Amino acid sequence: MIESARIRQTKEKCFAMMLRVSLLICAGTLIFLLGSIFVKGIGAISLDFIFTPSKDFGKSGGIFYQIMGSLLMVFVAAALVIPLAIGTSLFQYALNTRTGIGYFLEQSLYALNAIPSITYGIFGLIFFVNVLNTGISWFVGSMILAIMMLPTTTLSTYQAMVAIPKIYHENAAALGLTKTEIMRRVTLPQSFHGIVTGSLIGLARAIGETAPIMFIATAFSGVSVPKSLVEPVSTLPTHILELAQQSTDPQALQNAWGASLILVLLVGSFGLLALLARSRFSRRSPK
Amino acid sequence: MSPAKLSLVSDNQSSNPDVEAHSIRLDDFSAYYGKNCIISDVNLKLPNKGVTCLIGPSGTGKSTILRWLNRINEDTENASFSGTIKVLGRDFISGYPDVTELRRRVGMVFQQPCVFPCSIYDNMLMGLRGRKLSEMQARDSVEQGLKSASLWDEVSHRLETRADALSLGQQQRLCLARALVLKPDVLLLDEPTASIDPVSSRAIEDLVMSLGNKISVVMVTHNIGQAKRISDHVVFICDGKVVEQGPRTHMFSSHCSAKTKTYITEEFCDC
Ligand SMILES: Nc1ncnc2c1ncn2[C@@H]1O[C@H](COP(=O)(O)OP(=O)(O)OP(=O)(O)O)[C@@H](O)[C@H]1O
Ligand SMILES: [Mg+2]
């Protein structure tokens, strides 16, 4: 008896130890990464850096147009994806089935989520730039980013819908609301936090992407704010890539860290907004 | 038809003579969840006016009956039925090709209060949205509904606040008020006082009795004293069957069956 108790205790200690080590690895990596970006990047950052255009392939000047380009592309992508995500998740929700089309749709979303981002880039290059002959265009880039955001946004919205207690639907139905009215008055308002968090998480991911937009939407230099849909922009990730390629130059390296810090801050603020939205708009459960 | 009656009774009711006698009629009605038979061969006739109390032990299918009367169970997975129900003289399936009509005429308040996470005012208008009402008419309906559920005095100054901030008893009365603005011909109440305090509970009882003078109210209750106070008609259900039914005076007298007597006095049933 005593023997087995001791073994049990040892096992438990080992397990607790393992948990601590994995936590340490995760948190440590994160802190190390963010910490080094912060330490190395903070020196480059000034109001000038944020608000002036880059010069000399980024070696001097700031990153104003890169920030603008990134924000423009992801916000337009979000504007494209939100209606689509709401439609898709409503459709899936209304089907209310784990088989047939509903199942196929859900699996497609997961599959879409797993596609490597460079594949999207190549697809965009072949389909839009070569076949449709759009040329390098930020709008095409936004469309590609929208497709990449679709699974996250849709799944988050759908899960918020599924989490609404059935009793709300029954109460609405008992008041004589049609299925469409129930969707509009109950399902949509109560899954609003899912739509917001889903699109913010999607935004946070999309703003850091390089591969899908590199060939189709961005140019490395000589761009400003675009005046039409079919102009290239420059974005933070592609700019960082370009600076990293000149890393032998200390000034370029410094600016690369600075741009990285700004990018991380943007991603972080989207994540923070998502958290806020979740706590603020989340459905209060019935008492 | 007098104007007062007009507001409570809808047109198709007057054209059908059968309706005058029974608001709801179940013939050999059975209900199932999957293969489990919950209710078997129930025959019931509920009068056009008055309060009918359904009493019986827990899990005997009282809620299931209510949930079929307005076809809420239609949307419940693996729920099915056999037999017929007539609601206000029409078959509850073929007579109501548009289920929302049935649900507007047969109002329902569930066992658990459930308000929508929006303002009190918007909660009240939830069922009226489809109809084109002017701002004035909408305000009037809200006021009338809240008054009839004796909630107006408590909330009239804060109609725009969120309904889920109300107390449970207030929420339950809001659910009732929300159902009443639709002016139903039949009202189904599933233990409306189960989760609330004695004072609110008395207020609801009074309301139910006054409603019983105009429409048919079907109320499930576990509270025998309550059934005794407010019912005109009592149906005792046990194990999915109607054991006995009759006017209150009969059911609470010494002439009722032995089983009913045991349940009423000891709240216990051996079937
Ligand atoms: N959705 C469902 N799926 C399967 N079985 C169900 C479902 N809803 C209810 N039941 C079963 O049907 C039976 C009757 O349930 P019902 O809710 O009608 O009882 P009740 O008489 O209202 O009980 P109570 O007085 O406790 O509310 C119960 O045994 C219950 O377990
Ligand atoms: Mg019940």
Side-chain angles (χ1 to χ4, degrees), chain A residues 88-103 105 158 183:
Chain A
T88 315
S89 41
L90 269 182
F91 180 68
Q92 197 180 355
Y93 184 68
L95 285 174
N96 187 23
T97 166
R98 299 244 134 219
T99 55
I101 301 180
Y103 179 76
L105 196 65
Y158 175 68
M183 281 194 180

Side-chain angles (χ1 to χ4, degrees), chain A residues 64-144:
Chain A
F64 182 64
Y65 288 136
Q66 282 74 23
I67 296 177
M68 286 294 119
S70 277
L71 289 179
L72 176 71
M73 277 184 67
V74 294
F75 281 126
V76 170
L80 294 175
V81 84
I82 287 172
L84 203 60
I86 292 175
T88 315
S89 41
L90 269 182
F91 180 68
Q92 197 180 355
Y93 184 68
L95 285 174
N96 187 23
T97 166
R98 299 244 134 219
T99 55
I101 301 180
Y103 179 76
F104 178 72
L105 196 65
E106 194 170 340
Q107 295 308 312
S108 322
L109 284 173
Y110 283 117
L112 210 57
N113 211 10
I115 291 178
S117 54
I118 187 74
T119 318
Y120 287 103
I122 296 297
F123 165 76
L125 182 67
I126 294 171
F127 184 71
F128 287 103
V129 180
N130 292 350
V131 177
L132 296 185
N133 223 344
T134 55
I136 308 284
S137 149
W138 67 270
F139 188 70
V140 169
S142 280
M143 284 200 281
I144 295 290

Side-chain angles (χ1 to χ4, degrees), chain A residues 19 25 36 54 74 79 96 100 108 148 156 165 172 176 194 235 250 257 259 266 273:
Chain A
L19 287 184
I25 294 175
S36 53
S54 64
V74 294
N96 187 23
S108 322
M148 291 192 60
S156 164
T235 67
W257 284 113
L266 279 176
L273 279 179

Side-chain angles (χ1 to χ4, degrees), chain B residues 58-64 67 111 190-191 220 222:
Chain B
S58 179
T60 53
K62 304 180 296 296
S63 302
T64 306
R67 290 169 62 90
Q111 190 163 351
D190 197 346
E191 298 181 49
V220 173
H222 278 290

